[in-house]
Amino acid sequence: MAAARVALALLLAVSAAAAQTAGAEPCAPRAELGGDAEAVAKVAAELQRLGVDASTDPTKPPARTSCPVIVAAVELDRGGGIAVAVRDASQRSEGRVVSDAALAAAWIESWLRDDFTAPPPPEVTPLAPPSTVAATPAPAVSTPLLDRFSLAASYLLGWSDDSTSWSGFGTSLCVHAGGWCIGGRVGYENQTVTADLTAAAKSDLSLLATASYPRELGTMSIAPEFGVGVGRASTARVEGCKLMDPNCDPMTDPMCMTMPPQPCTNPDGTVYVGDHFSTATYTPRLSAALRIAVPLFDHVWLDGLAAATAAPFGHSDEYAPIAADGTMSNGAAYPLPGDPMLGIQLGIGLRVGAR
């Protein structure tokens, strides 16, 4: 009887345990999501497809259950992917950046497996490390063309050490290199002068290599400039009038015998010499100048120039022509003035380009 009662008790205990086990609900995996709202919504939808209960309410306290629970933070990554950071009940944590919400959900679900040892990271699209992106050199910015050079054209007035005045024009071009502007300047001036009973037409052409150093002065630019080069000074006699025989015209009367040309006096006091004198000399040139630029429009300037020029080794003596046989010619009686050694030029014009 005792043995029968023990067997009956064991049978009842086994039946009760079986009934309790049969009535228990299955243990469903759960993920507590937080972070960026858009990323949370996308990952939660993918977790639901995988059979994982995903809570997206940040105000809801974590569920107290013995079933597996994973806490995950998801954010949209700047590279277009999704950054995921997970933490399980044993406080293990890890972060990954994956390409889309489906991969993020698959990786979170892998932490809920009963046989988890160390979930392998899902295959993700590699993203360029920030250091690599930061190390990429920025493309070089080229200087605009109009900020690389200066081109100017000016009207010139000049005065020389022989107390005569000149007029002409000049042009200059330079290219900016560092704080300097390296280039050249061309000037042409002319005049007509009288000396005693004769006159001369004079011209001066100069070609200089220049270096200027522009500095800002408010909205203006001021630039000292130095130049060295060569110049050509030319002198040609300007003849006065000459008298012909008034009694006949050789153009209409072939029997007309004209008298030799006779000198006469022009209203300006000059006479006819008839030697057709013309000469030119070449000398080195040295120049010191100051340029001032006042802005008119974008890259357009009012350009002012003040320059002093020296022509060392120039022909400053009078030109007294000598006949081919070495004797004094008619022109020797009427010498022409020599070339100046020093001159001052003032110019006004326009400049295009940089200061």
Tab-separated table of all heavy atoms in Angstrom, residues 162-191:
chain	number	residue	atom	x	y	z
A	162	ASP	N	66.858	121.407	-71.107
A	162	ASP	CA	67.150	122.515	-72.024
A	162	ASP	C	66.006	123.513	-72.075
A	162	ASP	O	65.905	124.322	-73.013
A	162	ASP	CB	67.460	121.985	-73.432
A	162	ASP	CG	66.311	121.127	-73.981
A	162	ASP	OD1	65.290	120.993	-73.287
A	162	ASP	OD2	66.462	120.577	-75.078
A	163	SER	N	65.093	123.427	-71.070
A	163	SER	CA	63.980	124.372	-70.909
A	163	SER	C	62.972	124.289	-72.055
A	163	SER	O	62.362	125.298	-72.432
A	163	SER	CB	64.502	125.813	-70.783
A	163	SER	OG	65.364	125.934	-69.675
A	164	THR	N	62.791	123.116	-72.612
A	164	THR	CA	61.785	122.906	-73.644
A	164	THR	C	60.771	121.876	-73.143
A	164	THR	O	61.046	121.108	-72.216
A	164	THR	CB	62.408	122.422	-74.964
A	164	THR	OG1	63.085	121.179	-74.732
A	164	THR	CG2	63.396	123.462	-75.501
A	165	SER	N	59.608	121.865	-73.789
A	165	SER	CA	58.546	120.940	-73.389
A	165	SER	C	58.302	119.924	-74.494
A	165	SER	O	58.585	120.162	-75.674
A	165	SER	CB	57.265	121.702	-73.080
A	165	SER	OG	56.812	122.418	-74.214
A	166	TRP	N	57.737	118.774	-74.097
A	166	TRP	CA	57.474	117.659	-74.978
A	166	TRP	C	56.051	117.169	-74.746
A	166	TRP	O	55.448	117.426	-73.692
A	166	TRP	CB	58.444	116.505	-74.700
A	166	TRP	CG	59.905	116.835	-74.814
A	166	TRP	CD1	60.626	117.631	-73.981
A	166	TRP	CD2	60.796	116.356	-75.804
A	166	TRP	NE1	61.933	117.682	-74.383
A	166	TRP	CE2	62.073	116.905	-75.508
A	166	TRP	CE3	60.674	115.522	-76.912
A	166	TRP	CZ2	63.195	116.648	-76.274
A	166	TRP	CZ3	61.792	115.250	-77.675
A	166	TRP	CH2	63.036	115.815	-77.374
A	167	SER	N	55.525	116.422	-75.685
A	167	SER	CA	54.238	115.755	-75.506
A	167	SER	C	54.287	114.419	-76.244
A	167	SER	O	55.073	114.245	-77.186
A	167	SER	CB	53.071	116.604	-76.025
A	167	SER	OG	53.175	116.791	-77.425
A	168	GLY	N	53.453	113.473	-75.811
A	168	GLY	CA	53.459	112.161	-76.441
A	168	GLY	C	52.539	111.199	-75.726
A	168	GLY	O	51.548	111.607	-75.098
A	169	PHE	N	52.871	109.945	-75.766
A	169	PHE	CA	52.050	108.910	-75.141
A	169	PHE	C	52.960	107.795	-74.638
A	169	PHE	O	54.121	107.665	-75.064
A	169	PHE	CB	51.014	108.337	-76.125
A	169	PHE	CG	51.621	107.641	-77.311
A	169	PHE	CD1	51.905	106.284	-77.270
A	169	PHE	CD2	51.918	108.353	-78.462
A	169	PHE	CE1	52.465	105.646	-78.360
A	169	PHE	CE2	52.482	107.719	-79.564
A	169	PHE	CZ	52.753	106.363	-79.509
A	170	GLY	N	52.439	107.004	-73.733
A	170	GLY	CA	53.197	105.886	-73.175
A	170	GLY	C	52.283	104.724	-72.865
A	170	GLY	O	51.068	104.886	-72.696
A	171	THR	N	52.859	103.551	-72.788
A	171	THR	CA	52.122	102.351	-72.419
A	171	THR	C	53.021	101.475	-71.569
A	171	THR	O	54.248	101.506	-71.709
A	171	THR	CB	51.634	101.581	-73.667
A	171	THR	OG1	50.864	100.454	-73.259
A	171	THR	CG2	52.808	101.096	-74.491
A	172	SER	N	52.421	100.720	-70.678
A	172	SER	CA	53.191	99.851	-69.787
A	172	SER	C	52.418	98.566	-69.543
A	172	SER	O	51.183	98.549	-69.591
A	172	SER	CB	53.496	100.544	-68.457
A	172	SER	OG	52.294	100.800	-67.740
A	173	LEU	N	53.160	97.509	-69.279
A	173	LEU	CA	52.581	96.201	-68.971
A	173	LEU	C	53.465	95.530	-67.948
A	173	LEU	O	54.697	95.529	-68.081
A	173	LEU	CB	52.485	95.334	-70.234
A	173	LEU	CG	52.052	93.876	-70.023
A	173	LEU	CD1	50.609	93.812	-69.548
A	173	LEU	CD2	52.222	93.071	-71.312
A	174	CYS	N	52.859	94.977	-66.905
A	174	CYS	CA	53.635	94.231	-65.914
A	174	CYS	C	52.819	93.050	-65.417
A	174	CYS	O	51.586	93.061	-65.453
A	174	CYS	CB	54.078	95.124	-64.748
A	174	CYS	SG	52.731	95.710	-63.682
A	175	VAL	N	53.517	92.031	-64.950
A	175	VAL	CA	52.912	90.809	-64.425
A	175	VAL	C	53.249	90.716	-62.943
A	175	VAL	O	54.411	90.905	-62.552
A	175	VAL	CB	53.430	89.570	-65.180
A	175	VAL	CG1	52.838	88.300	-64.576
A	175	VAL	CG2	53.095	89.666	-66.660
A	176	HIS	N	52.245	90.414	-62.116
A	176	HIS	CA	52.439	90.363	-60.672
A	176	HIS	C	53.146	89.072	-60.266
A	176	HIS	O	52.766	87.975	-60.682
A	176	HIS	CB	51.097	90.479	-59.952
A	176	HIS	CG	50.514	91.854	-60.039
A	176	HIS	ND1	50.654	92.780	-59.030
A	176	HIS	CD2	49.819	92.471	-61.025
A	176	HIS	CE1	50.057	93.900	-59.379
A	176	HIS	NE2	49.534	93.739	-60.593
A	177	ALA	N	54.184	89.238	-59.458
A	177	ALA	CA	54.949	88.107	-58.939
A	177	ALA	C	55.275	88.414	-57.485
A	177	ALA	O	56.137	89.250	-57.191
A	177	ALA	CB	56.231	87.888	-59.744
A	178	GLY	N	54.550	87.740	-56.571
A	178	GLY	CA	54.714	88.071	-55.161
A	178	GLY	C	54.152	89.467	-54.917
A	178	GLY	O	53.078	89.834	-55.354
A	179	GLY	N	54.917	90.322	-54.234
A	179	GLY	CA	54.488	91.696	-54.007
A	179	GLY	C	54.914	92.644	-55.105
A	179	GLY	O	54.587	93.830	-55.056
A	180	TRP	N	55.660	92.178	-56.123
A	180	TRP	CA	56.189	93.022	-57.184
A	180	TRP	C	55.371	92.871	-58.454
A	180	TRP	O	54.646	91.901	-58.633
A	180	TRP	CB	57.645	92.662	-57.471
A	180	TRP	CG	58.576	93.021	-56.354
A	180	TRP	CD1	58.853	92.265	-55.250
A	180	TRP	CD2	59.335	94.217	-56.217
A	180	TRP	NE1	59.740	92.910	-54.433
A	180	TRP	CE2	60.061	94.115	-55.002
A	180	TRP	CE3	59.484	95.357	-57.000
A	180	TRP	CZ2	60.921	95.121	-54.561
A	180	TRP	CZ3	60.348	96.365	-56.568
A	180	TRP	CH2	61.048	96.241	-55.359
A	181	CYS	N	55.532	93.858	-59.348
A	181	CYS	CA	54.951	93.785	-60.690
A	181	CYS	C	56.101	94.034	-61.670
A	181	CYS	O	56.654	95.146	-61.728
A	181	CYS	CB	53.842	94.812	-60.865
A	181	CYS	SG	52.722	94.435	-62.246
A	182	ILE	N	56.468	92.995	-62.418
A	182	ILE	CA	57.633	93.041	-63.297
A	182	ILE	C	57.153	93.157	-64.741
A	182	ILE	O	56.291	92.392	-65.175
A	182	ILE	CB	58.498	91.769	-63.138
A	182	ILE	CG1	58.816	91.529	-61.646
A	182	ILE	CG2	59.778	91.882	-63.948
A	182	ILE	CD1	59.581	92.636	-60.992
A	183	GLY	N	57.725	94.109	-65.486
A	183	GLY	CA	57.283	94.285	-66.864
A	183	GLY	C	58.118	95.293	-67.613
A	183	GLY	O	59.345	95.339	-67.489
A	184	GLY	N	57.442	96.143	-68.396
A	184	GLY	CA	58.148	97.118	-69.224
A	184	GLY	C	57.294	98.337	-69.485
A	184	GLY	O	56.065	98.323	-69.334
A	185	ARG	N	57.968	99.446	-69.919
A	185	ARG	CA	57.280	100.704	-70.241
A	185	ARG	C	57.872	101.280	-71.516
A	185	ARG	O	59.101	101.338	-71.670
A	185	ARG	CB	57.392	101.682	-69.078
A	185	ARG	CG	56.880	103.074	-69.371
A	185	ARG	CD	56.497	103.818	-68.083
A	185	ARG	NE	57.547	103.853	-67.102
A	185	ARG	CZ	58.405	104.871	-66.957
A	185	ARG	NH1	58.345	105.914	-67.781
A	185	ARG	NH2	59.312	104.848	-66.012
A	186	VAL	N	57.013	101.695	-72.429
A	186	VAL	CA	57.418	102.323	-73.691
A	186	VAL	C	56.872	103.740	-73.702
A	186	VAL	O	55.694	103.964	-73.388
A	186	VAL	CB	56.897	101.541	-74.910
A	186	VAL	CG1	57.290	102.241	-76.214
A	186	VAL	CG2	57.425	100.116	-74.899
A	187	GLY	N	57.742	104.711	-74.057
A	187	GLY	CA	57.307	106.098	-74.143
A	187	GLY	C	57.774	106.745	-75.436
A	187	GLY	O	58.879	106.462	-75.914
A	188	TYR	N	56.912	107.598	-76.012
A	188	TYR	CA	57.284	108.353	-77.219
A	188	TYR	C	56.864	109.796	-77.014
A	188	TYR	O	55.706	110.093	-76.669
A	188	TYR	CB	56.587	107.776	-78.448
A	188	TYR	CG	56.855	108.598	-79.697
A	188	TYR	CD1	58.029	108.428	-80.419
A	188	TYR	CD2	55.932	109.554	-80.131
A	188	TYR	CE1	58.285	109.185	-81.555
A	188	TYR	CE2	56.181	110.315	-81.265
A	188	TYR	CZ	57.355	110.129	-81.967
A	188	TYR	OH	57.618	110.890	-83.082
A	189	GLU	N	57.819	110.737	-77.239
A	189	GLU	CA	57.552	112.167	-77.114
A	189	GLU	C	58.185	112.888	-78.299
A	189	GLU	O	59.183	112.424	-78.860
A	189	GLU	CB	58.128	112.721	-75.814
A	189	GLU	CG	57.546	112.099	-74.552
A	189	GLU	CD	58.268	112.596	-73.310
A	189	GLU	OE1	59.358	112.077	-73.012
A	189	GLU	OE2	57.732	113.527	-72.664
A	190	ASN	N	57.600	114.031	-78.660
A	190	ASN	CA	58.193	114.841	-79.724
A	190	ASN	C	58.010	116.323	-79.430
A	190	ASN	O	57.234	116.711	-78.539
A	190	ASN	CB	57.619	114.470	-81.092
A	190	ASN	CG	56.111	114.604	-81.148
A	190	ASN	OD1	55.507	115.404	-80.421
A	190	ASN	ND2	55.477	113.842	-82.005
A	191	GLN	N	58.721	117.157	-80.210
A	191	GLN	CA	58.656	118.601	-80.057
A	191	GLN	C	59.219	119.248	-81.325
A	191	GLN	O	59.919	118.589	-82.115
A	191	GLN	CB	59.464	119.075	-78.842
A	191	GLN	CG	60.937	118.788	-78.959
A	191	GLN	CD	61.758	119.417	-77.851
A	191	GLN	OE1	62.965	119.399	-77.928
A	191	GLN	NE2	61.160	119.991	-76.825
